[in-house]
Amino acid sequence: MTHDRDDGTDRPGAPRPSPLTGHIQRQLQRIRAADRRRPAVWDGLLTTFWILFAVLDVSSGGWRTVAIDPSVSPRLVLLLSAAFSAPLLWRRGHPLAVLLFMTPFALVNVWTGAVIQAAFLQEIVVFNIALRLPLRTLAVSGGIVLAPLAIGSAHFSEHWNQLLVPHLYAFVFASLLGIVFRTRKEYTEALVDRADRLELERDQQAQLAAVAERTRIAREMHDIIGHNLSVITGLADGGAYAAAKSPERAAQALDAISTTSRQALAELRRLLGVLRESPESADRTPQPTLDDMETLLTGVRTAGLPVRLSTQGTPPAVPPTAGMQLTVYRVVQEALTNTLKHSGGHSALAAEVTLTYRPNELEAVITDNGTSAPGAAAAPDGTGQGITGMRERASLYDGTVETGRPTGTGWQVRLRLPLEDSPS
């Protein structure tokens, strides 16, 4: 994968380079991009340049100004120049092999006393070794480059300084330059890899957050709409039954349906408003708490389900968090909604809600008496969306929800929440 990243100077707050520095950076980026797209073209141009330079040096006789023996045959000098310049075409893929190929010509160069400047092209190969190969290979290349020079220094002992020292300095410079470029390249690649991993992790976190948010919204919609529709259904069934015998009771049921419908619409608008509007303009009406439990039970009683509320134990000095109270409220609401949905229209069905405060735990038990039609109350088997929502709410506070028929009849939902733990 190719990563075309900028140098970070266009990010807000990043220091902007001077015009000259920015121009140089842009030109270097263009050169690197052209090199990545067509490396063979770049290698061909570089090799051709050095071949022409070597031929020009031979034809002009400039090599004689630094030669130890100016009487060396120009044909030999031309051969040596070509041997040092032409192999540069393969310096990237096989730098060590190219350097080994140049070694016998380097030995001939110093042994004959020609000492042509094209021999310094070996340092371009050394640079590529330092850039791409392990450091032990760089050490080996140092021996390959310096061995012919040491032999030539022994042959022309009075000129050892001229033969050995310039090439030694050039080798050290090329090695250090290759190491610097290699370090910068590896550091940049590490940064790119880290940025890619962070970007991938950010996308994954965003997807997980979106899934969690969709689940939470679905749970809220189910609790709000499902409960109110169940109450409305119960009121409508009761009103239809009473219409023939007691018109006043039917009118009361219609009034209750109207009130419940308005409450459901208000809660739905509030929930949708939070989704559509910005946090500053969204409705901030508080969510239900344990203080609103009696209001919930009143609506259920109006729908035709007698419910009794009892509290055991002493509430803690510090009330449970708002989220924990909302969890208890929604679980009680969902359990009673299930009872209404599966009551089968039997007026003998009743329910009981028991809140128990213990030193480290809050327990809510919702039980119905199981007098509904056979199979009606068996529907909530713990696999529906409502029961799943109860368990998801409880798990946010390290709580548990148990459902079943402890006495063989009726249906029971038992919620346990630890009072000392914070949300997971």
Side-chain angles (χ1 to χ4, degrees):
M1 179 182 296
T2 301
H3 300 276
D4 295 328
R5 296 182 178 272
D6 59 22
D7 56 4
T9 57
D10 293 333
R11 295 194 303 269
R16 299 188 65 83
S18 64
L20 178 59
T21 304
H23 177 72
I24 294 175
Q25 289 177 350
R26 288 190 294 272
Q27 295 303 320
L28 289 176
Q29 288 176 3
R30 292 192 182 97
I31 293 174
R32 285 195 291 267
D35 187 29
R36 285 194 298 268
R37 287 194 300 268
R38 297 181 178 86
V41 174
W42 180 260
D43 291 343
L45 290 175
L46 181 66
T47 304
T48 302
F49 170 79
W50 287 114
I51 291 176
L52 293 176
F53 181 82
V55 171
L56 181 62
D57 185 47
V58 173
S59 61
S60 65
W63 62 275
R64 291 189 173 90
T65 59
V66 294
I68 296 176
D69 183 4
S71 63
V72 176
S73 170
R75 291 184 179 180
L76 177 61
V77 173
L78 182 61
L79 175 63
L80 294 175
S81 300
F84 285 126
S85 55
L88 293 178
L89 188 63
W90 299 279
R91 75 191 188 285
R92 284 203 242 203
H94 310 282
L96 188 59
V98 170
L99 192 62
L100 288 172
F101 175 82
M102 293 179 176
T103 301
F105 297 97
L107 179 59
V108 172
N109 179 47
V110 296
W111 187 263
T112 59
V115 196
I116 60 175
Q117 300 301 306
F120 282 99
L121 295 178
Q122 295 177 98
E123 310 311 331
I124 297 179
V125 183
V126 170
F127 170 82
N128 282 268
I129 291 176
L131 182 65
R132 295 179 172 85
L133 299 182
L135 291 179
R136 61 177 178 272
T137 307
L138 179 62
V140 172
S141 69
I144 294 174
V145 171
L146 297 179
L149 298 174
I151 296 174
S153 298
H155 184 61
F156 296 102
S157 58
E158 67 277 11
H159 298 285
W160 70 269
N161 188 36
Q162 176 186 351
L163 291 172
L164 188 61
V165 174
H167 283 274
L168 180 62
Y169 285 159
F171 175 82
V172 172
F173 176 77
S175 300
L176 292 178
L177 188 63
I179 292 173
V180 169
F181 272 76
R182 178 178 188 160
T183 302
R184 184 179 183 277
K185 176 184 176 184
E186 292 176 350
Y187 178 70
T188 303
E189 290 175 349
L191 289 179
V192 170
D193 180 67
R194 182 172 181 269
D196 289 340
R197 285 188 283 107
L198 289 175
E199 185 176 355
L200 178 61
E201 182 179 351
R202 182 198 64 189
D203 293 341
Q204 291 175 343
Q205 292 293 337
Q207 292 175 2
L208 291 175
V211 171
E213 187 64 14
R214 285 196 296 268
T215 302
R216 188 185 70 83
I217 293 171
R219 189 167 57 232
E220 291 291 336
M221 297 282 286
H222 176 272
D223 290 345
I224 293 172
I225 298 177
H227 170 72
N228 286 288
L229 287 179
S230 297
V231 172
I232 291 172
T233 301
L235 290 170
D237 291 342
Y241 178 77
K245 297 182 180 180
S246 177
E248 290 132 359
R249 292 286 300 276
Q252 292 175 358
L254 290 174
D255 290 340
I257 289 174
S258 176
T259 302
T260 304
S261 300
R262 289 191 179 92
Q263 292 175 352
L265 284 174
E267 291 191 43
L268 183 60
R269 287 195 188 99
R270 178 176 60 81
L271 181 60
L272 295 178
V274 171
L275 298 177
R276 280 198 296 256
E277 300 172 6
S278 62
E280 292 77 11
S281 60
D283 186 4
R284 297 174 181 266
T285 303
Q287 292 275 38
T289 63
L290 294 178
D291 294 336
D292 301 304
M293 189 67 71
E294 192 58 46
T295 303
L296 170 65
L297 301 185
T298 299
V300 174
R301 294 186 189 109
T302 304
L305 176 63
V307 183
R308 185 165 65 91
L309 174 65
S310 61
T311 303
Q312 300 176 1
T314 303
V318 179
T321 63
M324 189 177 294
Q325 294 189 51
L326 176 62
T327 297
V328 177
Y329 182 94
R330 293 301 188 197
V331 169
V332 172
Q333 182 186 57
E334 179 60 27
L336 295 176
T337 300
N338 284 337
T339 301
L340 278 172
K341 282 195 292 187
H342 304 290
S343 64
H346 286 252
S347 59
L349 186 65
E352 181 178 1
V353 178
T354 304
L355 299 180
T356 304
Y357 290 94
R358 298 189 179 94
N360 299 318
E361 183 184 67
L362 170 60
E363 181 184 70
V365 180
I366 306 95
T367 309
D368 62 54
N369 58 12
T371 58
S372 59
D381 58 356
T383 60
Q385 185 176 1
I387 301 297
T388 301
M390 292 184 199
R391 288 176 176 152
E392 289 175 350
R393 287 184 181 276
S395 66
L396 292 175
Y397 295 90
D398 297 328
T400 60
V401 171
E402 300 173 1
T403 60
R405 301 179 182 276
T407 61
T409 59
W411 186 260
Q412 184 182 90
V413 176
R414 184 183 299 271
L415 167 69
R416 289 191 178 96
L417 295 176
L419 290 177
E420 294 182 349
D421 292 345
S422 58
S424 300

PDB file of all heavy atoms in Angstrom, residues 321 324 360 397-398 418-424:
ATOM      1  N   THR A 321     -27.644   6.216  41.918  1.00  0.00           N
ATOM      2  CA  THR A 321     -27.451   7.162  40.821  1.00  0.00           C
ATOM      3  C   THR A 321     -28.702   7.227  39.943  1.00  0.00           C
ATOM      4  O   THR A 321     -29.540   6.321  39.944  1.00  0.00           O
ATOM      5  CB  THR A 321     -26.256   6.751  39.961  1.00  0.00           C
ATOM      6  OG1 THR A 321     -26.530   5.478  39.371  1.00  0.00           O
ATOM      7  CG2 THR A 321     -24.990   6.646  40.792  1.00  0.00           C
ATOM      8  N   MET A 324     -29.016   4.303  37.653  1.00  0.00           N
ATOM      9  CA  MET A 324     -29.460   3.083  38.320  1.00  0.00           C
ATOM     10  C   MET A 324     -30.958   3.139  38.607  1.00  0.00           C
ATOM     11  O   MET A 324     -31.685   2.144  38.434  1.00  0.00           O
ATOM     12  CB  MET A 324     -28.658   2.896  39.604  1.00  0.00           C
ATOM     13  CG  MET A 324     -28.875   1.552  40.284  1.00  0.00           C
ATOM     14  SD  MET A 324     -27.845   1.346  41.744  1.00  0.00           S
ATOM     15  CE  MET A 324     -26.223   1.298  40.990  1.00  0.00           C
ATOM     16  N   ASN A 360     -25.688  -3.592  50.506  1.00  0.00           N
ATOM     17  CA  ASN A 360     -24.891  -3.403  49.291  1.00  0.00           C
ATOM     18  C   ASN A 360     -25.662  -3.727  48.019  1.00  0.00           C
ATOM     19  O   ASN A 360     -25.052  -3.903  46.967  1.00  0.00           O
ATOM     20  CB  ASN A 360     -23.635  -4.284  49.337  1.00  0.00           C
ATOM     21  CG  ASN A 360     -22.725  -3.946  50.499  1.00  0.00           C
ATOM     22  OD1 ASN A 360     -22.510  -2.778  50.797  1.00  0.00           O
ATOM     23  ND2 ASN A 360     -22.213  -4.970  51.165  1.00  0.00           N
ATOM     24  N   TYR A 397     -24.685  -1.723  35.105  1.00  0.00           N
ATOM     25  CA  TYR A 397     -24.366  -1.461  36.510  1.00  0.00           C
ATOM     26  C   TYR A 397     -23.981  -2.752  37.237  1.00  0.00           C
ATOM     27  O   TYR A 397     -24.165  -2.858  38.453  1.00  0.00           O
ATOM     28  CB  TYR A 397     -25.558  -0.781  37.200  1.00  0.00           C
ATOM     29  CG  TYR A 397     -25.839   0.581  36.626  1.00  0.00           C
ATOM     30  CD1 TYR A 397     -26.720   0.736  35.555  1.00  0.00           C
ATOM     31  CD2 TYR A 397     -25.184   1.706  37.098  1.00  0.00           C
ATOM     32  CE1 TYR A 397     -26.955   1.982  34.999  1.00  0.00           C
ATOM     33  CE2 TYR A 397     -25.416   2.960  36.548  1.00  0.00           C
ATOM     34  CZ  TYR A 397     -26.298   3.082  35.502  1.00  0.00           C
ATOM     35  OH  TYR A 397     -26.528   4.319  34.947  1.00  0.00           O
ATOM     36  N   ASP A 398     -23.450  -3.707  36.473  1.00  0.00           N
ATOM     37  CA  ASP A 398     -22.995  -4.981  37.035  1.00  0.00           C
ATOM     38  C   ASP A 398     -24.114  -5.716  37.757  1.00  0.00           C
ATOM     39  O   ASP A 398     -23.868  -6.447  38.723  1.00  0.00           O
ATOM     40  CB  ASP A 398     -21.809  -4.769  37.994  1.00  0.00           C
ATOM     41  CG  ASP A 398     -20.594  -4.210  37.276  1.00  0.00           C
ATOM     42  OD1 ASP A 398     -20.423  -4.531  36.087  1.00  0.00           O
ATOM     43  OD2 ASP A 398     -19.839  -3.440  37.895  1.00  0.00           O
ATOM     44  N   PRO A 418     -25.929  -3.919  42.431  1.00  0.00           N
ATOM     45  CA  PRO A 418     -25.036  -3.548  43.537  1.00  0.00           C
ATOM     46  C   PRO A 418     -25.042  -2.037  43.735  1.00  0.00           C
ATOM     47  O   PRO A 418     -24.973  -1.270  42.766  1.00  0.00           O
ATOM     48  CB  PRO A 418     -23.669  -4.049  43.078  1.00  0.00           C
ATOM     49  CG  PRO A 418     -23.749  -4.123  41.589  1.00  0.00           C
ATOM     50  CD  PRO A 418     -25.187  -4.436  41.264  1.00  0.00           C
ATOM     51  N   LEU A 419     -25.155  -1.606  44.970  1.00  0.00           N
ATOM     52  CA  LEU A 419     -25.272  -0.168  45.253  1.00  0.00           C
ATOM     53  C   LEU A 419     -23.927   0.542  45.273  1.00  0.00           C
ATOM     54  O   LEU A 419     -23.863   1.751  45.091  1.00  0.00           O
ATOM     55  CB  LEU A 419     -25.965   0.049  46.600  1.00  0.00           C
ATOM     56  CG  LEU A 419     -27.469  -0.299  46.642  1.00  0.00           C
ATOM     57  CD1 LEU A 419     -28.023  -0.114  48.031  1.00  0.00           C
ATOM     58  CD2 LEU A 419     -28.227   0.560  45.639  1.00  0.00           C
ATOM     59  N   GLU A 420     -22.830  -0.171  45.485  1.00  0.00           N
ATOM     60  CA  GLU A 420     -21.541   0.495  45.643  1.00  0.00           C
ATOM     61  C   GLU A 420     -20.770   0.605  44.327  1.00  0.00           C
ATOM     62  O   GLU A 420     -19.826   1.372  44.236  1.00  0.00           O
ATOM     63  CB  GLU A 420     -20.682  -0.273  46.648  1.00  0.00           C
ATOM     64  CG  GLU A 420     -21.236  -0.237  48.054  1.00  0.00           C
ATOM     65  CD  GLU A 420     -20.337  -0.971  49.037  1.00  0.00           C
ATOM     66  OE1 GLU A 420     -19.412  -1.666  48.586  1.00  0.00           O
ATOM     67  OE2 GLU A 420     -20.574  -0.836  50.246  1.00  0.00           O
ATOM     68  N   ASP A 421     -21.144  -0.163  43.324  1.00  0.00           N
ATOM     69  CA  ASP A 421     -20.401  -0.170  42.071  1.00  0.00           C
ATOM     70  C   ASP A 421     -20.861   0.947  41.155  1.00  0.00           C
ATOM     71  O   ASP A 421     -22.027   1.323  41.140  1.00  0.00           O
ATOM     72  CB  ASP A 421     -20.564  -1.507  41.334  1.00  0.00           C
ATOM     73  CG  ASP A 421     -19.872  -2.631  42.083  1.00  0.00           C
ATOM     74  OD1 ASP A 421     -19.056  -2.334  42.974  1.00  0.00           O
ATOM     75  OD2 ASP A 421     -20.173  -3.783  41.776  1.00  0.00           O
ATOM     76  N   SER A 422     -19.931   1.482  40.414  1.00  0.00           N
ATOM     77  CA  SER A 422     -20.249   2.474  39.393  1.00  0.00           C
ATOM     78  C   SER A 422     -20.510   1.740  38.080  1.00  0.00           C
ATOM     79  O   SER A 422     -20.168   0.575  37.934  1.00  0.00           O
ATOM     80  CB  SER A 422     -19.087   3.465  39.228  1.00  0.00           C
ATOM     81  OG  SER A 422     -17.915   2.757  38.877  1.00  0.00           O
ATOM     82  N   PRO A 423     -21.100   2.443  37.092  1.00  0.00           N
ATOM     83  CA  PRO A 423     -21.360   1.771  35.814  1.00  0.00           C
ATOM     84  C   PRO A 423     -20.115   1.185  35.201  1.00  0.00           C
ATOM     85  O   PRO A 423     -19.050   1.764  35.263  1.00  0.00           O
ATOM     86  CB  PRO A 423     -21.952   2.888  34.941  1.00  0.00           C
ATOM     87  CG  PRO A 423     -22.500   3.863  35.922  1.00  0.00           C
ATOM     88  CD  PRO A 423     -21.604   3.796  37.119  1.00  0.00           C
ATOM     89  N   SER A 424     -20.248  -0.002  34.612  1.00  0.00           N
ATOM     90  CA  SER A 424     -19.100  -0.646  33.955  1.00  0.00           C
ATOM     91  C   SER A 424     -18.694   0.162  32.738  1.00  0.00           C
ATOM     92  O   SER A 424     -19.554   0.687  32.042  1.00  0.00           O
ATOM     93  CB  SER A 424     -19.469  -2.051  33.545  1.00  0.00           C
ATOM     94  OG  SER A 424     -19.831  -2.809  34.683  1.00  0.00           O
TER      95      SER A 424
END
